[in-house]
Amino acid sequence: MTSSLFQPLSLGPANLPNRIAMSPMTRARTTQPGNIPNARMAEYYAQRASAGLIISEATQISQQGQGYSFTPGIFSDEHIDGWKLVTNAVHKKDGRIFLQLWHVGRMSHESFHADGKPVAPSALSPDAQVWVVDPSTGEGNMVDCPIPRALEKHEIKAIVNDFRQAAANAIAAGFDGVEIHGANGYLIDQFLRRSSNQRTDEYGGSQENRIRFLVEVAEAIADEIGAKRTGIRLSPYITQRNMADEEIIDVILKSAKELNRIGLTYIHLSEADWDDAPQVPDKFRHDLRASYSGKIIVAGKYTKERGEQIIADGLADIIAYGRPFIANPDLPHRFANNLPLADFDGSTLFGGTEKGYSDYPVWKEAS
């Protein structure tokens, strides 16, 4: 019997040969200055082109949207040209790749902003850290995020336009589509949750108002590049970074109905992946299916077997794997042949050279 992970699937304009996606993972390997994608990144992604779908690392839509050192952008001609190296390399290997569009909001550091202030729906601390390289030493460390400043309404409209332009730039760079990063405590997620959004205008207060920013971004991108080329990542059950909110499940389901109206091609659920993390209840998964008719991707410490089961149960269509893809560039081959998985080197996750990045061997080389 063929594994459900190896059943083909249509996803917007892309025809996937399997249901195994590569999760977006920040690796901080861009060329400096300018956070430019490069040939090393092209090699890294091309090595993993056997995934049914690659979702790129999170990519800032503007300088204001940056929160970590050496993460790539998609707002300049140099960024577009750099990303073309990546998309060409992946497509030459018959792969499919979406670009994840990112604005970090308050999950940032003063060094990335001319006025020293990250922006957010409200001036509330995330009580979190981001990875920042010290220019005097070249070493990166996790540092505390400052208290942000609250966005003015005209600035919110400008960010919506930044998302729109970034999506257009992604298509110009050769991506098959884009994923809106609406998860994990970043800007869109900050608008959704009362714990990080205490506005009293049309972008805050009621649940309907708190989803407005997400809806405007999704509509702008769908209008620009087509809804079938657009997905979104959401994280209803992740509450770290001061994001706990007892209303968030209702808010996410309301958002899903709006995303269904707009016609986005998929919702990507970012699920917690630590040992004692909250589990996503089946009731929510069924409620999401009832609210949204597009494809559903799930990510969060899935094994091959757990991935097969949730697809067989009809509660997901694609399983995204993160860290297993780091040390196993041929992950679909290993799954298909029940081969053991290599372990990744955690010390090389952020920044550095090809070590722990593009030097992991495929199974034939490792055996």
Side-chain angles (χ1 to χ4, degrees), residues 84-316:
K84 284 179 180 177
L85 298 175
V86 174
T87 59
N88 287 339
V90 169
H91 290 149
K92 283 180 181 177
K93 292 287 190 72
D94 296 323
R96 297 134 300 274
I97 182 167
F98 276 38
L99 181 73
Q100 190 184 66
L101 302 177
W102 196 26
H103 191 304
V104 300
R106 67 184 187 173
M107 284 295 300
S108 188
H109 186 258
E110 51 262 33
S111 61
F112 300 123
H113 305 274
D115 64 357
K117 286 285 190 179
V119 299
S122 303
L124 300 171
S125 171
D127 190 21
Q129 295 185 318
V130 290
W131 188 78
V132 178
V133 172
D134 183 336
S136 65
T137 65
E139 297 295 321
N141 292 286
M142 299 301 290
V143 298
D144 292 339
C145 300
I147 295 175
R149 67 172 179 84
L151 285 161
E152 301 288 342
K153 281 193 282 188
H154 72 275
E155 294 180 293
I156 297 173
K157 297 293 187 181
I159 294 172
V160 172
N161 287 332
D162 287 341
F163 270 104
R164 176 193 287 270
Q165 185 60 54
N169 292 350
I171 299 305
F175 285 93
D176 299 295
V178 304
E179 177 178 287
I180 303 164
H181 200 337
N184 297 72
Y186 297 116
L187 184 62
I188 292 174
D189 204 17
Q190 291 160 29
F191 271 95
L192 293 177
R193 301 183 191 238
R194 190 182 295 276
S195 54
S196 53
N197 180 3
Q198 294 182 2
R199 303 178 72 96
T200 57
D201 60 10
E202 60 265 42
Y203 289 98
S206 70
Q207 294 181 5
E208 289 73 19
N209 285 355
R210 298 206 306 277
I211 73 173
R212 178 170 177 168
F213 179 61
L214 177 153
V215 170
E216 289 184 356
V217 168
E219 287 179 333
I221 292 176
D223 178 67
E224 184 68 34
I225 68 169
K228 295 305 178 185
R229 291 182 181 272
T230 308
I232 190 168
R233 197 177 214 210
L234 301 170
S235 56
Y237 287 91
I238 293 180
T239 59
Q240 59 187 168
R241 301 170 173 172
N242 268 356
M243 298 298 286
D245 181 355
E246 63 184 12
E247 296 182 4
I248 191 58
I249 302 307
D250 289 340
V251 170
I252 292 291
L253 292 173
K254 284 184 171 71
S255 299
K257 290 178 180 178
E258 287 295 297
L259 297 170
N260 193 62
R261 174 186 62 79
I262 298 166
L264 262 60
T265 197
Y266 70 76
I267 289 176
H268 179 182
L269 291 180
S270 176
E271 302 177 15
D273 61 0
W274 51 93
D275 290 339
D276 60 348
Q279 297 298 304
V280 178
D282 281 353
K283 181 182 186 307
F284 171 78
R285 298 188 191 278
H286 287 289
D287 289 345
L288 183 62
R289 280 292 197 199
S291 301
Y292 176 75
S293 60
K295 302 298 192 294
I296 293 175
I297 303 176
V298 294
K301 213 170 184 179
Y302 280 83
T303 61
K304 174 191 174 185
E305 293 74 21
R306 185 171 172 234
E308 289 172 331
Q309 187 61 56
I310 197 169
I311 292 175
D313 290 343
L315 299 178

Side-chain angles (χ1 to χ4, degrees), residues 29-44:
R29 292 314 204 275
T30 56
T31 297
Q32 300 303 311
N35 299 316
I36 311 299
N38 53 42
R40 181 176 291 153
M41 292 168 60
E43 179 183 16
Y44 166 78

